[in-house]
C-alpha cells in the first residue's frame, strides 16, 4: 500500500529532477520528468543505456497527447480510445520542443497512458504539480540489456542506490513490456509484440497491422536488439519433443528448466513450472527467469512455446533472451 507521504515524496523527487521507480501493469519503469533533459540523462546513467535509445513518455490521459505529438492520425486516436489506459505504446511525430534526450534525437516520440492505478495516481499528481501535460519518461527499471523487473524487489536488485525512491505496487499484472505500434508511418506497424496482439489491433484498424521485422526496420527500438531481455546465465530454447534427450545429455551441468509441464518424479535439475496459457505464462516469466539466473545454475533450458499467435510476444522475448544470454 502506497501512502500519501510516498506519493508526495515521489512528486517532489520528480520535480527536483530525481529518479523514481514506478509500477506499471507491464513491468516497473524508471521514471523522470520527461521535460527535464538533466533528469532524463540520469535515467541513461542509472541503466547504463546508450544515449541514442528513445524512451517512452507516460501520460495521465489523452489530453496531454497533443502537447508531445505534433501529428496524431485518426487511427492513433482510435487505438488510444480502445486500449488506454493500458499496455500499448504509440509512436507519433514529436513536437519540436521535445528534448532530444527523450527521443534519442529522432523526430518521433513514444507515448503511453499506463493502466496501473499507482502509475496513474503518480502521473495525475505530477501533472497537478507541473502542469496538466507533464509526462514521466520511463524505460523498464533494469540495467541495460537485462531482464525487465516485474516486482519492486527486482528494481532494488537491479538499480539499488541509483534510484531515489521505488514505489511498490506489487507484482505487475501483464509481466511483459507494452505492445509498440508506430503510427508515424502511412500505415501502422507493430514494432514490439505484447499483450495487445495483432488480432486485438485489427479489430480497431479494420485489418491486420504490419509487423516490423526485428532487423533493419527497427534499428532504434532497443527491444529489437537481439541481445535484450537477457539473463547472465546461458539460455537454450528446446522443443518439447527434444527436452528429455537434451537434459539427459547435460551430464554434470545444473540446468534450470522453465516448462508448462510438471517435472518428472526424479530430476537432478531445478524445475520451474509456468502456467500453460500465455497470460499466466507472461505474468510469471521474468520472475522465473530471474530466479534461475544465479551462480547455482549453469544453463537455463526453456521449453519452446507453441507456435500459436497467442504466444507470439512470449516467443519474441524468449528468442531475444536466448540470443543475449550468458554474457557474465
Ligand atoms: O511496458 C513498457 O513499455 C515499459 C513500461 C515501463 O512502460 N517500458 C519499456 O521501456 O519497456 P523500454 O525503454 O525498456 O522500451 C521502450 C521501447 C524501446 O525499445 C525504445 O527503443 C522504443 O520503446 N521506443 C521509444 N520511443 C521510440 C520511438 N520514437 N521510435 C521507435 N521506438 C521507440
Ligand atoms: Mg527495457
Amino acid at each position: 500500500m502506497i501512502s500519501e507521504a510516498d506519493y508526495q515524496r515521489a512528486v517532489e523527487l520528480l520535480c527536483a529532477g530525481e529518479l523514481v521507480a514506478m509500477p506499471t501493469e507491464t513491468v516497473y519503469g524508471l521514471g523522470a520528468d520527461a521535460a527535464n533533459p538533466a533528469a532524463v540523462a540520469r535515467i541513461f546513467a542509472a541503466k547504463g543505456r546508450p544515449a541514442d535509445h528513445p524512451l517512452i513518455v507516460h501520460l495521465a490521459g489523452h489530453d496531454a497527447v497533443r502537447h508531445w505529438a505534433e501529428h496524431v492520425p485518426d487511427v492513433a486516436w482510435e487505438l488510444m480510445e480502445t486500449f488506454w489506459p493500458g499496455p500499448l505504446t504509440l509512436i507519433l511525430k514529436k513536437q519540436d520542443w521535445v528534448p532530444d534526450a527523450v527521443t534519442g534525437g529522432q523526430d518521433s516520440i513514444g507515448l503511453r497512458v499506463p493502466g496501473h492505478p499507482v502509475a496513474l495516481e503518480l502521473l495525475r499528481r505530477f501533472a497537478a504539480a507541473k502542469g496538466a501535460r507533464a509526462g514521466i519518461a520511463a524505460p523498464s527499471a533494469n540495467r541495460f540489456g537485462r531482464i525487465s523487473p516485474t516486482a519492486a524487489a527486482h528494481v532494488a536488485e537491479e538499480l539499488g542506490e541509483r534510484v531515489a525512491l521505488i514505489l511498490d505496487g506489487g507484482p505487475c499484472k501483464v509481466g511483459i513490456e507494452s505492445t509498440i505500434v508506430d503510427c508515424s508511418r502511412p500505415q501502422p506497424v507493430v514494432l514490439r509484440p505484447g499483450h495487445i496482439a495483432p488480432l486485438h489491433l485489427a479489430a480497431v484498424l479494420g485489418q491486420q497491422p504490419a509487423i516490423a521485422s526485428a532487423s533493419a526496420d527497427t534499428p532504434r527500438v532497443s527491444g529489437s536488439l537481439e541481445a535484450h531481455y537477457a539473463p547472465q546465465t546461458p539460455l537454450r530454447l528446446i522443443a518439447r519433443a527434444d527436452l528429455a534427450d537434451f537434459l539427459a545429455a547435460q551430464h554434470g551441468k545444473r540446468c534450470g528448466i522453465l516448462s508448462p509441464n510438471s517435472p518428472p518424479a526424479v530430476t537432478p535439475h531445478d524445475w520451474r513450472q509456468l502456467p500453460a496459457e500465455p497470460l499466466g505464462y507472461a505474468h510469471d516469466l521474468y520472475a522465473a527467469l530471474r530466479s534461475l539466473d544465479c551462480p547455482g545454475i549453469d544453463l537455463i533450458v526453456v521449453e519452446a512455446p507453441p507456435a500459436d499467435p497467442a504466444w507470439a510476444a512470449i516467443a519474441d522475448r524468449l528468442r531475444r533472451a536466448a540470443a543475449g544470454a550468458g554474457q557474465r
Side-chain angles (χ1 to χ4, degrees), residues 120-177:
L120 278 176
E121 182 63 23
L122 179 64
L123 283 160
R124 289 192 191 116
R125 286 168 180 253
F126 183 55
K130 278 276 299 189
R133 286 138 172 197
I136 298 179
S140 52
N142 50 280
R143 298 277 295 163
F144 179 64
R146 302 264 299 111
I147 304 166
S148 294
T150 53
H154 302 164
V155 181
E157 259 169 57
E158 288 280 325
L159 298 171
E161 301 292 296
R162 293 185 172 95
V163 53
L165 176 68
I166 302 172
L167 293 176
D168 186 348
C172 301
K173 273 203 178 132
V174 173
I176 56 173
E177 304 78 358

Side-chain angles (χ1 to χ4, degrees), residues 173-174 240 257-262 271-288 302-306 310-311 314 318:
K173 273 203 178 132
V174 173
R240 175 180 293 208
I257 297 132
L258 286 191
S259 164
N261 296 307
S262 50
W271 197 284
R272 298 277 188 285
Q273 187 177 2
L274 293 179
E277 42 75 35
L279 298 188
Y281 190 105
H283 178 272
D284 293 354
L285 173 62
Y286 287 158
V302 182
E303 186 178 311
W311 289 83
I314 290 164
L318 288 174

